[in-house]
């Protein structure tokens, strides 16, 4: 089944004032949950794997699983947080339609240089490239803005990295963080607005979607966020189901138990398709 380059979905979303949800997947069952829910809600979606998930399946295996699914609306397959050009190229060779190289912890010139190289080889193949500037860290109990590695995105530098590299989407750090928020995030909307003004019409990405309050999410989308990444809430739903099932003796028959835990992710996928405004946009 045909998968689309992510930029096609994001440009439409940016122009239409909604965002496309991007879901972390780790095998055929989780991909099927996203596909079924997206088809029911007629929504464009992105499915993504990072180097964590790619420890268990190769890029070729994930690409095969994704292509076996019948997405009725546009869908993209993304390498999330690619940590090396080698992994980026492995995913391109395997049939991913989109790749992120995350060098956000490295100096600007190194980040820009590496993204420029990726864009140079990916674009002739019609593959979308995402970069990150400023670093989105992990939520922790001591700081609403993420861990000590978090740095906010500078609007001028954001415009510069897009101009210098030709990338198609940029992940921004505006007080968002990966993982479970221990306190509600405080987004720097003024900064997001400045980034948006410096990059008119350009798709911006919000990592760390899980736990974002609805009003903050909607405001961020109105200010240019066109893609929202979600992982932790899926894993939490899966885990909660397993723990409640395994609270009994004897534990349920394993294949049924895993299938039930997988099914528990459906409401999460539905929630994010609706919150981002992607429902009916496929
Ligand atoms: P969450 O786990 O906080 O939803 O973040 C997902 C993410 O941004 C993956 O890149």
């Amino acid at each position: 089944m045909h998968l689309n380059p992510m930029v096609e979905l994001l440009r439409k979303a940016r122009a239409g004032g909604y965002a496309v949800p991007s879901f972390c997947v780790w095998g055929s069952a989780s991909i099927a949950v996203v596909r079924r829910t997206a088809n029911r809600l007629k929504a464009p979606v992105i499915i993504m794997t990072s180097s964590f998930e790619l420890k268990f399946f190769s890029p070729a295996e994930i690409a095969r699983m994704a292509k076996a699914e019948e997405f009725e609306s546009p869908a993209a397959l993304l390498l999330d947080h690619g940590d090396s050009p080698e992994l980026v190229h492995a995913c391109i060779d395997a049939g991913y339609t989109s790749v992120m190289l995350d060098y956000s912890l490295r100096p600007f010139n190194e980040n820009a240089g590496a993204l420029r190289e990726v864009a140079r080889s990916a674009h002739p193949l019609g593959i979308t490239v995402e970069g990150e500037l400023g670093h989105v860290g992990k939520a922790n109990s001591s700081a609403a803005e993420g861990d000590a590695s978090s740095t906010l995105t500078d609007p001028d530098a954001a415009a510069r990295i897009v101009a210098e590299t030709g990338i198609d989407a940029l992940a921004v750090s505006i007080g968002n963080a990966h993982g479970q928020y221990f306190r509600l995030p405080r987004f720097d909307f003024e900064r997001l607005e400045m980034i948006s003004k410096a990059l008119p019409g350009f798709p911006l990405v919000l990592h760390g979607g899980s736990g974002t309050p609805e009003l903050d999410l909607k405001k961020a989308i109105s200010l240019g966020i066109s893609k929202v990444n979600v992982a932790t809430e899926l894993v939490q739903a899966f885990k909660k189901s397993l723990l409640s099932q395994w609270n009994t003796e004897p534990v349920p028959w394993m294949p049924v138990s895993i299938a039930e835990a997988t099914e528990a992710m459906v409401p999460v996928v539905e929630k994010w398709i609706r919150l981002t405004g992607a429902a009916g946009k496929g």
Side-chain angles (χ1 to χ4, degrees), residues 138-252:
K138 286 195 177 59
N140 68 20
S141 51
S142 59
E145 292 82 11
D147 61 25
S149 69
S150 297
T151 48
L152 298 173
T153 305
D154 175 73
D156 293 334
R160 202 146 58 81
I161 203 161
V162 171
E164 286 185 14
T165 61
I167 56 172
D168 309 286
L170 184 69
V172 294
S173 178
I174 54 161
N176 47 321
H178 293 102
Q180 185 187 339
Y181 285 115
F182 290 86
R183 284 187 275 158
L184 287 182
R186 286 191 306 271
F187 287 175
D188 185 342
F189 287 116
E190 222 172 284
R191 180 178 298 270
L192 179 58
E193 196 167 3
M194 282 161 71
I195 298 169
S196 245
K197 282 199 175 129
L199 288 165
F202 187 82
L204 302 173
V205 178
L206 186 78
H207 281 243
S210 295
T212 305
E214 179 170 355
L215 284 180
D216 288 343
L217 185 82
K218 294 209 158 132
K219 187 160 180 194
I221 292 171
S222 76
L223 293 173
I225 292 294
S226 316
K227 167 177 173 260
V228 179
N229 284 16
V230 178
T232 298
E233 284 190 19
L234 292 170
V235 174
Q236 282 170 337
F238 188 89
K239 179 175 151 189
K240 189 169 164 215
S241 167
L242 280 189
L243 289 180
S244 70
Q245 295 181 63
W246 290 354
N247 219 1
T248 58
E249 273 301 337
V251 293

Side-chain angles (χ1 to χ4, degrees), residues 73-97:
S73 297
L77 175 61
L78 167 73
L79 166 65
D80 188 35
H81 294 291
D83 54 5
S84 69
E86 290 73 26
L87 183 59
V88 164
H89 287 292
C91 288
I92 291 175
D93 292 345
Y96 278 54
T97 63

